[in-house]
Amino acid sequence: MLFLDAHMRELYVHWPDKTRESVAYLRMLAARHADDPKLAELVGDLCVRSPRFATLWADHAVDECEPAVREFQHPVVGRMTLHQEVLRPDASDQLLLTFTADPGSPSAAALQLLARAVYG
């Protein structure tokens, strides 16, 4: 979605940075799982369908998925600044990303508004 869905470009305020970080992490996973045919298929498909992905993949950057501060431009609630935390529940490559806002901030109010819209 990050590379093929136009709405993602609008959602991530710093979309170029997010794409660069995502490809660097994917390259690390690809090195760990070099024999995974589905991963190779994904990379091939993205190289063909996304010039941005192909360019970043050719850079050969490798990096871990790390905590970060992300800015989003949500179509309903506007701009939000959220803290991304990375949880690694075990020794596998699976990650759980959580996003939180500073208490009392406009971003926290925006998240509450979105939660009410989804959960009532």
Side-chain angles (χ1 to χ4, degrees):
M1 286 177 36
L2 187 60
F3 291 94
L4 302 178
D5 184 341
H7 297 292
M8 295 301 281
R9 286 185 194 101
E10 298 166 7
L11 180 63
Y12 281 94
V13 172
H14 303 287
W15 183 80
D17 295 337
K18 176 61 177 164
T19 59
R20 188 177 312 102
E21 294 166 7
S22 296
V23 171
Y25 182 64
L26 183 61
R27 184 167 278 288
M28 186 188 67
L29 291 176
R32 287 184 188 163
H33 304 282
D35 296 331
D36 185 328
K38 292 214 179 265
L39 187 53
E41 180 182 347
L42 173 66
V43 169
D45 184 49
L46 286 171
C47 280
V48 169
R49 297 178 61 198
S50 169
R52 172 77 178 159
F53 181 88
T55 298
L56 292 171
W57 190 256
D59 286 344
H60 297 278
V62 177
D63 204 358
E64 277 284 350
C65 185
E66 299 290 339
V69 175
R70 303 271 182 223
E71 290 187 83
F72 297 90
Q73 183 64 39
H74 192 276
V76 174
V77 296
R79 192 165 210 140
M80 295 184 295
T81 301
L82 303 178
H83 301 275
Q84 171 187 293
E85 294 298 328
V86 181
L87 306 172
R88 292 175 170 85
D90 55 31
S92 74
D93 289 325
Q94 292 191 12
L95 303 176
L96 175 64
L97 301 181
T98 63
F99 293 89
T100 58
D102 289 331
S105 69
S107 296
L111 283 179
Q112 289 175 346
L113 182 62
L114 288 173
R116 273 183 258 150
V118 171
Y119 299 110

